[in-house]
Amino acid sequence: DAKTTQPTSMDCAEGRAANLPCNHSTISGNEYVYWYRQIHSQGPQYIIHGLKNNETNEMASLIITEDRKSSTLILPHATLRDTAVYYCIVRVAWNNAGNMLTFGGGTRLMVKP
Amino acid sequence: DSGVTQTPKHLITATGQRVTLRCSPRSGDLSVYWYQQSLDQGLQFLIQYYNGEERAKGNILERFSAQQFPDLHSELNLSSLELGDSALYFCASSATTGGTDTQYFGPGTRLTVL
């Protein structure tokens, strides 16, 4: 699976949009971009995933660049409860070696009042 | 609530001991994954089971073993425990074993080895 690079930490004001970048310059054509978050030692929580089109759900939007080498997770109106570590993960859809997730260091997002 | 349950929530034991962690996947999910999260190693994949069969192995120590039972619940057995095994252990489940299956994580078991 392709490696990802994320900033170690970011701050965001409550009520503003949080834009979390992820670089995955070695991504292959059959690899998806997944985002998970972990709120203070709780189990990681799935947020969203995409292949090449932009995606939106009730939690967030995922913007993937046309060359697919980077992506941005957008939390449109961050709240204090969005303070967490956000993980960007790249994974093939079907892998004979298993379906595991490979977590990097993630971005620690601090939402401030 | 992800629908994945893990017991116990906390476990404190001594070096050299053996413990069993239990995971019940979401209803209908056939795959179970185990992950370890320690302070210095981050979240690491240990092992995956699919419908009772081992599907993939990560950096799982030989002292650790797992199984998935016919009712699809899974147990992770940790033996000859060392101080360094202190960590959060998460179980996740997904419907199948590939595609764009979403993995849903349980709340974890915090293991402390004294």
Side-chain angles (χ1 to χ4, degrees), chain B residues 46-64:
Chain B
L46 294 178
I47 197 163
Q48 177 195 355
Y49 276 81
Y50 172 69
N51 204 20
E53 300 289 327
E54 182 184 303
R55 182 79 174 87
K57 235 172 178 174
N59 295 326
I60 187 167
L61 299 171
E62 281 193 18
R63 301 183 285 108
F64 295 2

Side-chain angles (χ1 to χ4, degrees), chain A residues 32 34 36 38 41-46 49 87 91-101 103, chain B residues 33 35 37 43 45 48 55-56 88 90 94 96-107 110:
Chain A
Y32 285 73
Y34 283 78
Y36 278 77
Q38 186 176 24
S41 297
Q42 295 178 21
Q45 178 188 24
Y46 166 79
H49 74 275
Y87 296 99
R91 185 173 70 83
V92 295
W94 293 100
N95 186 350
N96 288 333
N99 199 34
M100 74 290 286
L101 297 169
F103 290 84
Chain B
Y33 311 77
Y35 293 84
Q37 186 173 33
L43 263 162
F45 168 72
Q48 177 195 355
R55 182 79 174 87
L88 274 165
F90 292 105
S94 69
T96 61
T97 185
T100 55
D101 262 11
T102 297
Q103 288 184 32
Y104 295 91
F105 284 76
R110 182 177 292 277

